[in-house]
Amino acid sequence: MGGEAEERIMQQHTVVGGGGLVLRALESGDPQGVPVLFLHGWSQRAASWERQLASPALAHLRLVALDLRGHGESEKPASGYDDGALWAADVAATLDALDLHGAMLTGWSYGGYVIADYLRHRGQDAVGAIHFVSAGTGIGIETPYRFRGNAWNGVLPAAFSDDAGEAAAAMRTFERNCFAARRDADERAMHANGAATPGAVRKALFRRRIDNDDVMASIRLPTLVTHGDADRVIDIETGRHIAAIVPGARLSVYAGIGHVPFWEDQPRFDAELAAFAAGLAGRSA
């Protein structure tokens, strides 16, 4: 990347989140545009959304990507990852500090849980729309739909190891399995994005036991569900379940795409996100 795109992604913010935790965020795009808050997945970081932050197709939007607690340049406390109120406070603090009221919350993978935490504890009045991307909402429970795919085979519990080599090897297996086809450069980029996440944080994120179907059924905001039908991390049946239970939700299925549709088919992803945001602008006009 270079020139204008590189300049767009350089704005950085510090936000004080739940429990006084220091969080980092990146921002690009038009400060007057429809705001979008990107929430990344397990063992990733705000830079996972770098291609969207630099995308000409999205430059008319106000784009903010948050390093979740325990990830990237945000602080990494020893505990609190099973407390939904803290995750909700992080999102609320970001919306308040950066004046992102009416934002679209776009949550990839684990980011779906963070969205559910926010809606459960803070309600829906401060946001304008929801976008679940290859996301989960129930965790640590038996589900009537297929949740996890086989991408986790050989990954857990090795990814939690204190042995750096063992953990790195497990994460490389996971990162390879995130894509429907081998993508060496993307796998390396994903590995670099996850390097700052301690094994203890990776493990702590799996300690939760929660069914968010009640929250999903209560959503009254425009909702888009994006999911690849070749996703081996979170099965497409999870995306279908979310779309079925959220009133009025629209499901966009990416044929032959894995867990990272915003990299695997960026043109389509960016175009659909822009169209969804245009609808929000029309609602608020």
Side-chain angles (χ1 to χ4, degrees):
M1 283 178 291
E4 181 184 357
E6 186 173 333
E7 183 177 342
R8 283 207 304 270
I9 68 171
M10 288 306 294
Q11 189 172 2
Q12 300 185 37
H13 299 288
T14 298
V15 174
V16 179
L21 195 77
V22 176
L23 306 168
R24 306 293 187 190
L26 299 174
E27 178 175 349
S28 71
D30 183 352
Q32 304 305 314
V34 172
V36 180
L37 178 59
F38 293 109
L39 305 170
H40 62 75
W42 178 77
S43 195
Q44 286 294 290
R45 64 188 304 166
S48 299
W49 301 103
E50 192 173 45
R51 301 175 197 195
Q52 280 62 52
L53 294 173
S55 172
L58 301 177
H60 61 293
L61 305 176
R62 186 178 179 197
L63 308 170
V64 176
L66 180 66
D67 274 343
L68 299 179
R69 58 176 50 230
H71 299 75
E73 295 184 19
S74 291
E75 289 188 326
K76 301 167 180 64
S79 62
Y81 299 100
D82 56 351
D83 186 345
L86 287 176
W87 291 103
D90 292 347
V91 175
T94 305
L95 296 175
D96 289 343
L98 303 184
D99 193 18
L100 297 174
H101 299 288
M104 177 198 311
L105 299 183
T106 294
W108 167 45
S109 196
Y110 203 91
Y113 303 119
V114 181
I115 289 176
D117 289 331
Y118 176 80
L119 296 176
R120 180 179 297 281
H121 293 279
R122 299 300 180 109
Q124 303 177 40
D125 292 344
V127 294
I130 305 296
H131 185 191
F132 293 108
V133 182
S134 306
T137 55
I139 188 169
I141 59 169
E142 292 293 326
T143 59
Y145 52 89
R146 182 173 169 81
F147 170 42
R148 284 194 199 175
N150 63 10
W152 300 95
N153 295 347
V155 173
L156 306 179
F160 311 147
S161 176
D162 292 331
D163 182 300
E166 181 183 15
M171 290 307 297
R172 286 192 175 93
T173 296
F174 175 74
E175 291 142 7
R176 185 177 309 121
N177 292 343
C178 282
F179 300 97
R182 190 68 186 261
R183 298 169 66 103
D184 290 346
D186 286 347
E187 291 164 27
R188 289 193 296 271
M190 182 175 282
H191 192 76
N193 285 341
T197 308
V201 173
R202 294 182 188 132
K203 183 176 183 178
L205 267 62
F206 279 99
R207 292 194 181 119
R208 308 188 68 185
R209 301 288 182 272
I210 189 166
D211 179 351
N212 280 306
D213 278 3
D214 60 327
V215 173
M216 298 299 101
S218 74
I219 293 176
R220 61 178 185 274
L221 301 168
T223 300
L224 174 63
V225 181
T226 296
H227 218 112
D229 68 2
D231 190 341
R232 294 187 292 146
V233 177
I234 297 180
D235 194 87
I236 181 64
E237 290 305 315
T238 300
R240 291 189 174 115
H241 174 77
I242 294 171
I245 199 170
V246 175
R250 182 170 74 85
L251 175 63
S252 180
V253 176
Y254 284 53
I257 295 296
H259 191 56
V260 198
F262 51 97
W263 286 13
E264 294 174 89
D265 192 349
Q266 183 186 350
R268 174 179 170 180
F269 182 89
D270 291 358
E272 291 189 353
L273 191 151
F276 191 39
L280 302 184
R283 289 177 75 241
S284 60

PDB file of all heavy atoms in Angstrom, residues 191-203:
ATOM      1  N   HIS A 191      -0.910 -14.578  10.501  1.00  0.00           N
ATOM      2  CA  HIS A 191      -0.019 -15.000  11.573  1.00  0.00           C
ATOM      3  C   HIS A 191       0.640 -13.784  12.231  1.00  0.00           C
ATOM      4  O   HIS A 191       0.740 -13.711  13.462  1.00  0.00           O
ATOM      5  CB  HIS A 191       1.048 -15.942  11.031  1.00  0.00           C
ATOM      6  CG  HIS A 191       1.829 -16.639  12.097  1.00  0.00           C
ATOM      7  ND1 HIS A 191       1.319 -17.698  12.816  1.00  0.00           N
ATOM      8  CD2 HIS A 191       3.067 -16.409  12.599  1.00  0.00           C
ATOM      9  CE1 HIS A 191       2.215 -18.111  13.702  1.00  0.00           C
ATOM     10  NE2 HIS A 191       3.288 -17.334  13.589  1.00  0.00           N
ATOM     11  N   ALA A 192       1.061 -12.821  11.429  1.00  0.00           N
ATOM     12  CA  ALA A 192       1.662 -11.605  11.979  1.00  0.00           C
ATOM     13  C   ALA A 192       0.657 -10.829  12.823  1.00  0.00           C
ATOM     14  O   ALA A 192       0.999 -10.290  13.885  1.00  0.00           O
ATOM     15  CB  ALA A 192       2.199 -10.729  10.846  1.00  0.00           C
ATOM     16  N   ASN A 193      -0.600 -10.785  12.382  1.00  0.00           N
ATOM     17  CA  ASN A 193      -1.622 -10.065  13.138  1.00  0.00           C
ATOM     18  C   ASN A 193      -1.866 -10.691  14.505  1.00  0.00           C
ATOM     19  O   ASN A 193      -2.217 -10.007  15.462  1.00  0.00           O
ATOM     20  CB  ASN A 193      -2.941 -10.038  12.358  1.00  0.00           C
ATOM     21  CG  ASN A 193      -2.918  -9.061  11.208  1.00  0.00           C
ATOM     22  OD1 ASN A 193      -2.091  -8.161  11.154  1.00  0.00           O
ATOM     23  ND2 ASN A 193      -3.829  -9.247  10.255  1.00  0.00           N
ATOM     24  N   GLY A 194      -1.702 -12.009  14.607  1.00  0.00           N
ATOM     25  CA  GLY A 194      -1.980 -12.698  15.861  1.00  0.00           C
ATOM     26  C   GLY A 194      -0.793 -12.833  16.788  1.00  0.00           C
ATOM     27  O   GLY A 194      -0.933 -13.334  17.911  1.00  0.00           O
ATOM     28  N   ALA A 195       0.365 -12.367  16.341  1.00  0.00           N
ATOM     29  CA  ALA A 195       1.587 -12.606  17.110  1.00  0.00           C
ATOM     30  C   ALA A 195       1.579 -11.938  18.475  1.00  0.00           C
ATOM     31  O   ALA A 195       2.242 -12.403  19.406  1.00  0.00           O
ATOM     32  CB  ALA A 195       2.801 -12.131  16.307  1.00  0.00           C
ATOM     33  N   ALA A 196       0.815 -10.849  18.614  1.00  0.00           N
ATOM     34  CA  ALA A 196       0.814 -10.110  19.882  1.00  0.00           C
ATOM     35  C   ALA A 196      -0.164 -10.684  20.901  1.00  0.00           C
ATOM     36  O   ALA A 196      -0.216 -10.206  22.037  1.00  0.00           O
ATOM     37  CB  ALA A 196       0.487  -8.641  19.636  1.00  0.00           C
ATOM     38  N   THR A 197      -0.935 -11.703  20.523  1.00  0.00           N
ATOM     39  CA  THR A 197      -1.925 -12.258  21.440  1.00  0.00           C
ATOM     40  C   THR A 197      -1.302 -13.381  22.264  1.00  0.00           C
ATOM     41  O   THR A 197      -0.898 -14.403  21.714  1.00  0.00           O
ATOM     42  CB  THR A 197      -3.128 -12.822  20.666  1.00  0.00           C
ATOM     43  OG1 THR A 197      -3.629 -11.829  19.775  1.00  0.00           O
ATOM     44  CG2 THR A 197      -4.235 -13.245  21.622  1.00  0.00           C
ATOM     45  N   PRO A 198      -1.221 -13.234  23.583  1.00  0.00           N
ATOM     46  CA  PRO A 198      -0.641 -14.300  24.417  1.00  0.00           C
ATOM     47  C   PRO A 198      -1.498 -15.566  24.399  1.00  0.00           C
ATOM     48  O   PRO A 198      -2.726 -15.504  24.254  1.00  0.00           O
ATOM     49  CB  PRO A 198      -0.625 -13.673  25.823  1.00  0.00           C
ATOM     50  CG  PRO A 198      -0.765 -12.199  25.608  1.00  0.00           C
ATOM     51  CD  PRO A 198      -1.585 -12.051  24.367  1.00  0.00           C
ATOM     52  N   GLY A 199      -0.853 -16.713  24.573  1.00  0.00           N
ATOM     53  CA  GLY A 199      -1.581 -17.969  24.629  1.00  0.00           C
ATOM     54  C   GLY A 199      -2.628 -17.978  25.726  1.00  0.00           C
ATOM     55  O   GLY A 199      -3.705 -18.567  25.562  1.00  0.00           O
ATOM     56  N   ALA A 200      -2.341 -17.330  26.842  1.00  0.00           N
ATOM     57  CA  ALA A 200      -3.300 -17.292  27.944  1.00  0.00           C
ATOM     58  C   ALA A 200      -4.572 -16.552  27.557  1.00  0.00           C
ATOM     59  O   ALA A 200      -5.678 -16.903  28.005  1.00  0.00           O
ATOM     60  CB  ALA A 200      -2.664 -16.631  29.170  1.00  0.00           C
ATOM     61  N   VAL A 201      -4.444 -15.530  26.718  1.00  0.00           N
ATOM     62  CA  VAL A 201      -5.630 -14.810  26.248  1.00  0.00           C
ATOM     63  C   VAL A 201      -6.414 -15.682  25.278  1.00  0.00           C
ATOM     64  O   VAL A 201      -7.649 -15.765  25.346  1.00  0.00           O
ATOM     65  CB  VAL A 201      -5.229 -13.482  25.590  1.00  0.00           C
ATOM     66  CG1 VAL A 201      -6.436 -12.809  24.940  1.00  0.00           C
ATOM     67  CG2 VAL A 201      -4.607 -12.539  26.619  1.00  0.00           C
ATOM     68  N   ARG A 202      -5.715 -16.350  24.367  1.00  0.00           N
ATOM     69  CA  ARG A 202      -6.405 -17.255  23.444  1.00  0.00           C
ATOM     70  C   ARG A 202      -7.246 -18.269  24.218  1.00  0.00           C
ATOM     71  O   ARG A 202      -8.382 -18.566  23.855  1.00  0.00           O
ATOM     72  CB  ARG A 202      -5.389 -17.999  22.576  1.00  0.00           C
ATOM     73  CG  ARG A 202      -4.614 -17.136  21.615  1.00  0.00           C
ATOM     74  CD  ARG A 202      -3.687 -17.984  20.767  1.00  0.00           C
ATOM     75  NE  ARG A 202      -2.804 -17.149  19.968  1.00  0.00           N
ATOM     76  CZ  ARG A 202      -1.490 -17.315  19.880  1.00  0.00           C
ATOM     77  NH1 ARG A 202      -0.896 -18.306  20.545  1.00  0.00           N
ATOM     78  NH2 ARG A 202      -0.772 -16.513  19.136  1.00  0.00           N
ATOM     79  N   LYS A 203      -6.678 -18.799  25.278  1.00  0.00           N
ATOM     80  CA  LYS A 203      -7.377 -19.800  26.079  1.00  0.00           C
ATOM     81  C   LYS A 203      -8.552 -19.191  26.822  1.00  0.00           C
ATOM     82  O   LYS A 203      -9.650 -19.767  26.870  1.00  0.00           O
ATOM     83  CB  LYS A 203      -6.402 -20.437  27.064  1.00  0.00           C
ATOM     84  CG  LYS A 203      -7.005 -21.559  27.898  1.00  0.00           C
ATOM     85  CD  LYS A 203      -5.947 -22.210  28.777  1.00  0.00           C
ATOM     86  CE  LYS A 203      -6.513 -23.381  29.560  1.00  0.00           C
ATOM     87  NZ  LYS A 203      -5.466 -24.043  30.381  1.00  0.00           N
TER      88      LYS A 203
END
